[in-house]
Amino acid sequence: MPTPPATIPHLIAEGFHALSDPIRIRVLELLRQQELCVCDLCDALEVNQSKLSFHLKTLKEAGLVHSRQEGRWIYYSLNVAQFSVLEEYLAGFSHNILISPARPC
């Protein structure tokens, strides 16, 4: 089911907000390699679980990561489709090479 057009600006804003923190960038870099559980992310980033949970919540709300529960563990992986939305948005700027001058007031 396609995303309704009205939600696209919201998804883009949430995505870039989520990308604005170094810890979240590091989480995404780790998830580029493989799905990881919270405990592995905490160890790799050397942060406590409550701090990491805040960042994972932000990434999940932005649609940049998926989570799944297995037993008592939660595993996170990248949501590649949402990265494509952000990529398409940015690519639109590079295609507008000729910008018209402002109209006289």
Side-chain angles (χ1 to χ4, degrees):
M1 173 194 243
T3 303
T7 62
I8 300 269
H10 174 74
L11 288 172
I12 291 168
E14 290 290 323
F16 286 117
H17 166 72
L19 293 171
S20 69
D21 185 275
I23 290 176
R24 293 191 289 266
I25 297 291
R26 290 174 57 204
V27 168
L28 295 173
E29 288 296 324
L30 290 167
L31 295 177
R32 284 175 90 166
Q33 300 164 24
Q34 66 183 35
E35 178 184 65
L36 292 168
C37 73
V38 173
C39 61
D40 290 334
L41 288 166
C42 284
D43 290 345
L45 298 168
E46 298 178 344
V47 296
N48 63 44
Q49 189 169 345
S50 65
K51 183 174 186 174
L52 182 61
S53 291
F54 166 79
H55 291 292
L56 289 169
K57 179 180 182 237
T58 301
L59 289 167
K60 192 169 178 185
E61 287 174 351
L64 296 175
V65 297
H66 292 295
S67 66
R68 69 175 181 87
Q69 189 164 356
E70 189 175 300
R72 64 183 199 143
W73 302 110
I74 299 176
Y75 291 85
Y76 288 89
S77 60
L78 294 181
N79 178 10
V80 178
Q82 180 60 15
F83 284 94
S84 294
V85 170
L86 298 177
E87 183 179 18
E88 285 178 34
Y89 176 75
L90 289 175
F93 285 96
S94 65
H95 297 292
N96 293 333
I97 297 170
L98 298 174
I99 298 175
S100 301
R103 293 181 304 129
C105 294

